[in-house]
């Protein structure tokens, strides 16, 4: 269906794609993945015909239709419904011709074609797609200009899906969607009748939708069968093979160099030494797999506070005189990990802003600890970073009373060390800017970290690093995200924001996904029908999961700390010149005793971690 043949693209003197080649099977659903800045969007633009490569071609069968969302969102007085219907250009042209055609033979052909393309069922299909992406009947009939940019991009996505191209190109389609719309999109794409190429950084989305992974790295592309987990397994095997090949080559290189050094000066062996020198020069180095040190998220841990951090008692919140959420009864403790569920527009961000003290209650009460610090991350903070400034300038402004060393230390926690601290923000990727925004909002070691869609600019590896950092962080976390992998691994409590209020969701994330996919929009009513026994069992399971996840997090944090300390002891034993001050004065006997003690504690922490992890798997 799609053949990529030796595609090379150079931009600004840098080679982005370097002879990239792959043949995609007809009807395949392909996930295009790679690190931020690897060139995924560039490759998509080449496929879409929006960018001419310096060399190579992207070939499709003659007459095949390609669909791709332009960067500009639709606007104007048209409605979402009319905009989506208009995307079926052949249908629109045939209907217009049917209104004016006077040639009865031609009119018959027109009606036959309308029946063949199922034109008369199109309005119902358009409405179903819009509903799936979050547009109720009233929203479908509003003008486009009454919507935000994110909702307009949903209209563009709906129009593209409705047009049913032979090759569907999607570049991070979930960025403007909530969890509910992402699940609907997955279901839609799984039954899509033609070829799909989708750029995505969401592990679950890729596992549920695609049957091939196209991995872009170092300007080259490699096609793997299966979803993302299958790709990870195959990549791990490939990394092991490359590491073994590098080790073998390094050994060969060392042996050749040693022979040349020992035999070049002797006349009897000079010829053989020259031959081996030529062999050494021809030896091509095996490329080392990328290991990006900038995958760094290290949230400073807060001081301890007594629970609760925040209590809401029949509180209402909104804008002006209009409440968005009412009857809010919620308690947040220092070790809580909460995910807010519910469609965009239901009030998740409003609740987050209330908890961050950016809004005040209109009715009821909100009590919070006077010493509590809150770090609140939103996409707006990423977009508002000064392009001409550096990370060091940004952090210096907000840490006015801190020493230069403290400013540098906070930047270093998030990978902005050395030259990266003084690079212009305008030259950075979206992922780097997101890390900088997180560094800024956590500078005071907040007790409560509120993250509103923190993964939109992060690739798969960066998301995994963020999950690990959140699990090591000892403060409370409130998450709004459509990334299920992140929610599964970090959230202990689920709170559903729906029907003008927020309440605990009695069940797991899988229960919520099943509820949404069942098409029951009544939310909590369906859950209540399970009865008190079901609710109690779900609540008990949630409490058990929370305790087990905390136990696993604590053990993992202790394991990391003990392992680092043992590494420091090893340095003191084998390289005293680099030893930490607290170990430098110890005798070798004392160091060996300390190492043995640390090894025992590491084994105990590993046992705790494995027991908690296995118990979690069993509970799931």
């Amino acid at each position: 269906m799609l053949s990529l043949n030796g595609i090379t693209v150079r931009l600004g003197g840098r080679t982005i794609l370097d002879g990239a080649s792959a043949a995609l099977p007809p009807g395949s659903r392909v996930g295009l993945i790679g690190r931020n800045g690897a060139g995924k969007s560039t490759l998509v633009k080449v496929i879409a015909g929006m960018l001419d490569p310096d060399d190579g071609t992207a070939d499709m069968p003659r007459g095949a239709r390609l669909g791709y969302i332009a960067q500009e969102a639709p606007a104007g007085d048209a409605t979402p419904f009319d905009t989506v219907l208009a995307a079926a250009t052949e249908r629109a042209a045939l209907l217009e011709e049917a209104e004016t055609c006077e040639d009865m033979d031609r009119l018959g052909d027109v009606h036959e074609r309308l029946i063949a393309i199922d034109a008369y069922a199109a309005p119902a299909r358009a409405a179903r797609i819009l509903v799936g992406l979050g547009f109720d009947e009233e929203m479908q009939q509003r003008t486009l200009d009454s919507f935000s940019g994110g909702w307009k991009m949903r209209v563009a996505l709906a129009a593209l899906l409705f047009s049913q191209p032979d090759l569907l190109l999607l570049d991070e389609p979930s960025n403007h969607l909530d969890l509910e719309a992402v699940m609907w999109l997955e279901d839609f794409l799984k039954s899509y009748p033609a070829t799909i190429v989708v750029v995505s950084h969401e592990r679950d989305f890729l596992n549920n939708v695609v049957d091939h992974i196209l991995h872009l790295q170092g300007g080259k592309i490699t096609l793997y069968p299966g979803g993302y987990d299958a790709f990870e397994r195959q990549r791990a095997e490939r990394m092991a093979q490359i590491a073994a090949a590098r080790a073998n080559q390094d050994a060969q290189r060392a042996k050749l160099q040693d022979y040349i050094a020992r035999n070049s000066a002797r006349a009897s062996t000079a010829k053989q030494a020259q031959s081996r020198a030529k062999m050494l020069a021809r030896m091509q180095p095996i490329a080392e797999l990328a290991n990006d040190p900038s995958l760094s998220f290290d949230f400073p841990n807060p001081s301890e506070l007594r629970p609760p951090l925040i209590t809401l008692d029949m509180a209402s919140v909104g804008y002006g005189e209009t409440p968005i959420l009412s009857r809010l009864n919620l308690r947040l403790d220092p070790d809580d990990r909460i995910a807010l569920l519910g469609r965009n527009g239901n009030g998740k961000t409003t609740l987050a802003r209330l908890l961050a003290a950016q809004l005040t209650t209109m009715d009821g009460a909100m009590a919070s600890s006077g010493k509590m610090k809150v770090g609140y991350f939103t996409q707006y903070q990423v977009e508002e970073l000064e392009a001409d400034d550096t990370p060091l300038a940004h952090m210096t402004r907000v840490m006015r009373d801190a020493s230069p060393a403290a400013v540098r230390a906070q930047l270093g926690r998030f990978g902005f060390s050395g030259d990266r601290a003084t690079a212009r923000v305008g030259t950075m990727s979206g992922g780097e800017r997101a890390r900088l925004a997180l560094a800024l909002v956590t500078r005071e070691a907040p007790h409560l970290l509120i993250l509103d869609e923190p993964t939109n600019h992060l690739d798969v590896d960066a998301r995994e690093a963020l999950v690990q950092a959140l699990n090591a962080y000892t403060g409370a976390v409130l998450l709004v995200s459509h990334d299920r992998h992140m929610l599964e691994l970090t959230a202990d409590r689920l709170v559903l924001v729906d029907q003008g209020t927020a309440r605990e969701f009695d069940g797991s994330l899988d229960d919520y996904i099943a509820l949404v996919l069942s098409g029951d929009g009544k939310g909590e009513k369906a859950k209540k029908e399970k009865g008190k026994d079901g609710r109690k069992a779900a609540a008990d399971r949630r409490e058990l999961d929370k305790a087990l996840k905390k136990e696993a997090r604590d053990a993992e944090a202790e394991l990391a700390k003990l392992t680092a300390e043992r590494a420091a002891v090893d340095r003191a034993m084998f390289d005293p010149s680099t030893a930490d001050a607290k170990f430098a004065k110890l005798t070798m006997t004392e160091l060996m005793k300390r190492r043995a003690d640390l090894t025992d504690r590491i084994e105990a922490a590993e046992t705790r971690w494995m027991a908690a992890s296995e118990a979690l798997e069993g509970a799931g």
Side-chain angles (χ1 to χ4, degrees):
M1 174 62 193
L2 175 64
S3 180
L4 307 175
N5 307 302
I7 294 174
T8 297
V9 175
R10 301 179 186 89
L11 298 174
R14 187 166 71 95
T15 300
I16 307 298
L17 301 174
D18 186 10
S21 298
L24 308 189
S28 57
R29 297 190 296 274
V30 179
L32 174 57
I33 69 169
R35 296 299 311 278
N36 282 340
K40 300 183 297 297
S41 293
T42 299
L43 181 58
V44 167
K45 288 176 182 177
V46 170
I47 296 171
M50 299 171 62
L51 178 66
D52 292 327
D54 295 288
D55 196 10
T57 59
D59 299 326
M60 288 175 54
R62 187 181 300 274
R65 292 184 304 113
L66 181 145
Y68 177 62
I69 296 180
Q71 294 298 316
E72 298 80 19
D77 294 332
T79 67
F81 182 77
D82 291 338
T83 302
V84 172
L85 272 183
T89 54
E90 183 186 10
R91 174 184 179 273
L94 289 171
L95 288 173
E96 184 177 349
E97 186 178 356
E99 291 290 329
T100 58
C101 183
E102 296 180 357
D103 182 337
M104 299 308 293
D105 289 338
R106 173 57 187 161
L107 187 60
D109 292 340
V110 168
H111 282 291
E112 283 186 14
R113 182 58 183 162
L114 285 168
I115 292 171
I117 63 175
D118 206 16
Y120 299 107
R125 188 163 64 89
R128 282 198 302 273
I129 292 173
L130 283 166
V131 168
L133 292 177
F135 293 86
D136 60 27
E137 188 173 346
E138 182 271 331
M139 294 173 70
Q140 292 180 33
Q141 301 305 321
R142 284 164 47 187
T143 63
L144 290 173
D145 283 345
S146 67
F147 291 99
S148 66
W151 283 97
K152 288 178 182 177
M153 291 307 296
R154 290 197 192 201
V155 175
L157 175 60
L160 177 62
L161 299 178
F162 179 75
S163 67
Q164 287 192 321
D166 301 305
L167 173 60
L168 178 62
L169 290 179
L170 299 172
D171 194 347
E172 300 198 49
S174 62
N175 270 6
H176 301 287
L177 304 181
D178 50 33
L179 176 60
E180 293 75 9
V182 170
M183 291 188 292
W184 177 88
L185 180 62
E186 283 182 5
D187 202 46
F188 182 93
L189 294 179
K190 282 189 284 190
S191 59
Y192 191 77
T195 302
I196 301 171
V197 176
V198 56
V199 178
S200 178
H201 296 303
E202 295 191 29
R203 182 186 297 261
D204 285 350
F205 183 89
L206 292 168
N207 279 328
N208 292 335
V209 171
V210 308
D211 51 32
H212 287 77
I213 291 290
L214 189 62
H215 184 221
L216 175 55
Q217 183 178 19
K220 307 289 188 183
I221 49 178
T222 306
L223 188 66
Y224 295 84
Y228 186 82
D229 286 348
F231 156 73
E232 281 278 34
R233 287 193 295 272
Q234 293 172 77
R235 185 172 68 159
E237 293 170 2
R238 183 164 169 260
M239 288 171 68
Q241 292 168 356
I242 289 176
R246 280 180 60 83
N248 182 54
Q249 188 185 71
D250 289 344
Q252 284 184 292
R253 189 183 298 276
K255 188 179 293 185
L256 288 171
Q257 288 171 335
D258 179 63
Y259 185 93
I260 294 166
R262 287 187 293 105
N263 295 283
S264 293
R266 285 190 286 177
S268 60
T269 57
K271 191 171 182 179
Q272 292 91 329
Q274 288 174 357
S275 174
R276 282 164 173 74
K278 291 178 181 177
M279 186 186 304
L280 183 63
R282 288 195 300 268
M283 189 178 288
Q284 293 294 321
I286 296 172
E288 192 168 9
L289 289 173
N291 181 21
D292 188 350
S294 69
L295 288 180
S296 188
F297 298 89
D298 181 12
F299 300 110
N301 289 323
S303 59
E304 289 190 16
L305 288 180
R306 296 175 62 183
L309 290 180
I310 299 176
T311 304
L312 297 177
D313 183 12
M314 292 302 290
S316 298
V317 62
Y319 305 91
E321 297 182 357
T322 306
I324 303 298
L325 299 171
S326 304
R327 307 182 309 282
L328 295 173
N329 294 294
L330 191 65
R331 170 177 165 147
L332 274 73
D333 287 335
D335 61 346
D336 269 332
R337 304 298 171 100
I338 299 175
L340 298 186
L341 306 177
R343 282 197 174 276
N344 283 356
N346 282 4
K348 298 193 298 292
T349 297
T350 300
L351 178 55
R353 292 188 64 193
L354 173 65
L355 297 174
Q358 292 189 358
L359 295 174
T360 57
T361 57
M362 302 170 66
D363 196 8
M366 172 175 164
S368 60
S369 172
K371 296 181 180 179
M372 181 183 64
K373 298 175 184 176
V374 178
Y376 182 28
F377 172 90
T378 73
Q379 290 301 315
Y380 298 113
Q381 291 159 324
V382 179
E383 296 161 5
E384 291 171 359
L385 292 171
E386 293 291 339
D388 291 330
D389 272 351
T390 66
L392 184 59
H394 278 90
M395 191 63 72
T396 300
R397 272 199 302 273
V398 297
M399 295 180 68
R400 287 189 295 270
D401 299 328
S403 67
V407 171
R408 288 272 188 177
Q410 176 63 6
L411 287 170
R413 288 176 174 273
F414 291 82
F416 295 101
S417 300
D419 293 342
R420 295 311 299 161
T422 54
R424 285 181 58 251
V425 170
T427 66
M428 294 179 176
S429 69
E432 287 177 307
R433 290 195 295 271
R435 277 193 291 112
L436 176 55
L438 283 165
L440 291 168
V441 301
T442 59
R443 65 189 182 274
E444 295 183 337
H447 301 89
L448 169 61
L449 188 55
I450 301 175
L451 304 178
D452 194 343
E453 296 293 356
T455 63
N456 274 1
H457 296 286
L458 303 182
D459 58 40
V460 181
D461 293 333
R463 291 176 186 219
E464 198 65 34
L466 177 58
V467 166
Q468 292 176 17
L470 286 174
N471 285 338
Y473 171 64
T474 59
V477 177
L478 184 83
L479 270 174
V480 179
S481 178
H482 59 259
D483 188 323
R484 275 159 295 169
H485 182 69
M486 170 168 282
L487 297 182
E488 283 278 10
L489 294 181
T490 57
D492 298 327
R493 292 172 58 191
L494 303 178
V495 173
L496 178 61
V497 183
D498 189 28
Q499 298 180 352
T501 192
R503 58 175 69 89
E504 297 279 346
F505 182 80
D506 289 336
S508 67
L509 190 59
D510 285 341
D511 293 331
Y512 180 68
I513 290 171
L515 182 66
V516 171
L517 293 178
S518 73
D520 185 349
K522 294 184 180 179
E524 288 290 274
K525 182 178 179 181
K527 299 299 296 179
K528 289 178 182 177
E529 290 173 356
K530 291 185 176 182
K532 293 181 179 178
D533 291 342
R535 287 199 301 274
K536 185 178 185 304
D540 290 345
R541 182 177 65 184
R542 190 172 63 249
E543 286 300 313
L544 176 61
D545 284 353
K546 179 178 178 180
L548 289 171
K549 286 181 179 179
K550 185 176 186 305
E551 174 71 8
R553 281 199 306 270
D554 290 347
E556 191 171 12
E558 183 181 3
L559 191 58
K561 179 181 177 182
L562 293 172
T563 303
E565 187 174 349
R566 186 172 66 178
V569 169
D570 288 342
R571 282 198 306 273
M573 292 172 65
F574 302 110
D575 189 4
S577 64
T578 64
D580 291 347
K582 67 178 180 179
F583 297 125
K585 297 179 181 180
L586 298 181
T587 66
M588 181 60 71
T589 301
E590 290 171 330
L591 288 171
M592 291 176 66
K593 184 177 180 181
R594 175 70 68 91
R595 192 183 193 284
D597 177 60
L598 287 169
T599 299
D600 290 341
R601 292 168 64 188
I602 286 171
E603 290 176 357
E606 285 177 341
T607 301
R608 282 177 54 210
W609 179 80
M610 289 185 66
S613 299
E614 289 173 0
L616 268 172
E617 291 179 8

